[in-house]
Structures are given as structure tokens and as C-alpha cells.
């Protein structure tokens, strides 16, 4: 619970805002993961479980990696950016539904709920990336890309994309609460078509052309191009960044109407 205290009145506006943001982040982590650090650890480890489950399936069926010689590296380079995008876009939406009563406090705005959850998901995604990299090192795989700056750019693009789509999701559920279920189903389609388990560029040109309109697919190829420069992957960097920024702009514009509806 966030309440006003005499100490709050002595703080500067920035200090007061950071105090509210800190309280929201702590509340978010405790309500979602429990008071124990193990609850948060489960979420951080989930991408690892996800990736190595794919590896197990391919190993059991004796299927080679679609690109390169290492299955773990192939799946990690595709799954991590796509999951980072999906987690942010989904959890931002869930945070508004779960924490909406907090907006009745004058210190808490709808944007604060969104921003605090974005920060939590970015930190969670970063920790998951560290865990995945550590596991790859432990099994003898070098996780350092040939072009580190390109890989970092791909992860940043996934974050921007997740923020943009997540902001629009918040606006949509303000008018259609059932969209949470709808987006969960839509996320499955996005994931399957994002090239985590296969190489979209190996498909017929006409199919690949339309699939590249999925920005999540391009974030996966963005990161993979840093690890497999010889693959000749063509990424439309401007399209991915502009998709994320445009989505964020549209979402913030629509949030004004959501706030008016909540206040009404």
C-alpha cells in the first residue's frame, strides 16, 4: 500500500516520484513472485527451460540445428529476443489489470504502473540472458557473438517493440478486457511465426516476404545476424525500430482516453 507521510512532503518532486516507483516495483515483484527470491528465480530461469526443452526435442529426434553446428546457440539467439518482446508486451498489460486499484491513490498514475513493470521485465530479461549465457558456457558453447554491437541492438529493439505493443495492449484492455485472452492466443501465433525453431529465410520467397512483416521475426534475425554473419540475413532495422516507436506513440495517445474512462 502506498500512503502519504510527512516525509513525502519534504521530498522534491523527483524524489517523491522515485519513491513511488520503487514502491511499485517492490510490490510488483512480491505479489507476482512471492516474498521468496526463489519465486523470482523461477521466472528468470523460465527462458532457460524453454530453450533447453527445444534442444531436448531436437536431440531426441536427432534433428540437426537449422543453422550452424550447435542447437543451443541457434535456439538461444532466436528465443531470447522473442521472449523478451513477448514478456514485456504481455506483463505490462497484466500489471494494469492487477494494480488498477492503486490508481485511486493520488500519487500513483497509470503510466507509473506501466513504467514500473517495464523496468521489472527489462531487469528480468537481462538476468535471464546472463543465465542462458552461463549455461551455454557450462556446456562448452561460446556465447560471445561475432558482432556484439549488433546483438545488443537486437535486444534493445526487442525491448522497444515490447514497450510499444504493451502500451497498445493497455489501451485495448481499457475498452475490451477480454483482449488479455485474445493476446495470449495471438502471442502463440507470433511465436510460432517468429523463426525461433526454424530459419524463415529458407522458406519460399513469397512466404518469407509476408512473414517479415512480423517485427518479432526480424528481432530474432537481428540477433542471429550477430552470431551467424555468414547466413546473409537481411534485417529491416528501420522497420523494427519505427514499428516499436510508432506503437508506443499510438499507445500513449490512446492511454489518455483510457485514463478518462477510468476517472469517469
Amino acid at each position: 500500500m502506498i500512503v502519504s507521510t510527512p516525509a513525502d512532503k519534504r521530498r522534491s518532486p523527483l524524489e517523491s516520484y522515485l519513491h513511488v516507483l520503487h514502491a511499485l516495483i517492490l510490490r510488483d515483484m512480491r505479489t507476482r513472485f512471492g516474498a521468496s527470491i526463489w519465486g523470482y528465480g523461477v521466472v528468470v530461469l523460465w527462458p532457460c527451460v524453454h530453450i533447453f526443452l527445444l534442444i531436448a526435442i531436437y536431440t531426441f529426434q536427432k534433428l540437426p540445428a537449422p543453422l550452424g553446428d550447435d542447437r543451443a546457440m541457434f535456439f538461444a539467439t532466436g528465443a531470447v529476443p522473442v521472449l523478451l518482446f513477448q514478456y514485456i508486451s504481455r506483463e505490462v498489460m497484466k500489471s494494469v489489470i492487477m494494480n488498477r486499484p492503486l490508481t485511486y491513490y493520488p500519487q500513483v498514475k497509470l503510466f507509473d504502473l506501466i513504467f514500473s513493470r517495464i523496468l521489472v521485465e527489462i531487469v528480468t530479461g537481462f538476468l535471464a540472458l546472463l543465465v542462458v549465457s552461463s549455461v551455454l558456457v557450462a556446456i562448452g558453447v561460446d556465447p560471445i557473438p561475432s558482432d556484439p554491437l549488433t546483438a545488443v541492438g537486437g535486444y534493445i529493439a526487442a525491448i522497444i517493440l515490447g514497450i510499444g505493443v504493451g502500451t497498445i495492449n493497455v489501451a485495448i484492455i481499457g475498452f475490451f478486457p477480454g483482449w488479455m485472452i485474445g493476446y495470449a492466443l495471438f502471442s502463440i501465433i507470433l511465436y510460432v511465426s517468429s523463426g525461433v525453431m526454424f530459419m524463415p529465410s529458407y522458406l519460399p520467397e513469397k512466404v518469407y516476404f509476408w512473414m517479415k512483416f512480423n517485427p518479432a521475426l526480424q528481432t530474432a534475425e537481428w540477433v542471429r545476424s550477430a552470431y551467424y554473419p555468414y547466413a546473409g540475413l537481411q534485417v529491416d532495422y528501420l522497420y523494427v525500430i519505427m514499428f516499436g516507436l510508432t506503437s508506443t506513440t499510438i499507445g500513449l495517445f490512446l492511454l489518455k482516453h483510457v485514463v478518462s474512462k477510468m476517472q469517469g
Side-chain angles (χ1 to χ4, degrees), residues 16-226:
S16 298
Y17 180 75
L18 292 177
H19 174 73
V20 171
L21 197 62
H22 179 256
L24 288 173
I25 291 174
L26 289 180
R27 183 183 187 280
D28 187 17
M29 296 179 66
R30 288 172 179 170
T31 54
R32 288 176 61 203
F33 312 120
S36 171
I37 192 175
W38 298 109
Y40 184 70
V42 169
V43 177
V44 173
L45 291 174
W46 172 241
C48 301
V49 176
H50 184 99
I51 292 168
F52 289 103
L53 179 61
L54 293 177
I55 297 172
I57 293 174
Y58 267 67
T59 302
F60 179 76
Q61 296 182 346
K62 298 181 179 180
L63 297 174
L67 181 65
D69 300 323
D70 194 278
R71 299 183 183 94
M73 181 61 71
F74 176 81
F75 291 128
T77 53
V80 172
V82 173
L83 291 176
L84 181 60
F85 151 68
Q86 289 194 325
Y87 272 50
I88 294 176
S89 61
R90 182 185 66 214
E91 296 300 328
V92 166
M93 175 175 55
K94 289 172 61 177
S95 71
V96 174
I97 293 179
M98 295 172 57
N99 298 319
R100 183 173 175 177
L102 294 179
T103 58
Y104 292 112
Y105 293 101
Q107 306 99 317
V108 182
K109 309 300 181 185
L110 183 63
F111 180 79
D112 300 335
L113 301 179
I114 296 173
F115 188 45
S116 63
R117 181 60 66 93
I118 287 173
L119 293 178
V120 170
E121 293 304 319
I122 289 176
V123 172
T124 302
F126 177 73
L127 292 175
L129 178 61
L130 288 180
V131 173
V132 170
S133 299
S134 300
V135 174
L136 290 176
V137 170
I139 63 177
V141 178
D142 182 8
I144 305 300
S146 302
D147 188 347
L149 289 179
T150 298
V152 171
Y155 292 125
I156 293 175
I159 291 172
I160 295 174
L161 190 63
I163 292 172
V165 176
T167 306
I168 288 183
N169 282 338
V170 171
I172 293 177
I173 63 170
F175 298 96
F176 307 103
W179 174 241
M180 176 173 285
I181 298 176
Y183 185 70
L185 298 175
F186 182 63
S187 292
I188 297 175
I189 299 175
L190 272 180
Y191 178 84
V192 172
S193 63
S194 294
V196 174
M197 298 174 286
F198 63 97
M199 283 294 294
S201 58
Y202 291 171
L203 297 174
E205 183 61 31
K206 291 183 178 179
V207 177
Y208 183 49
F209 172 80
W210 291 107
M211 289 184 67
K212 290 198 76 170
F213 284 98
N214 174 6
L217 179 149
Q218 296 221 38
T219 59
E221 292 194 332
W222 189 332
V223 174
R224 278 200 177 123
S225 67

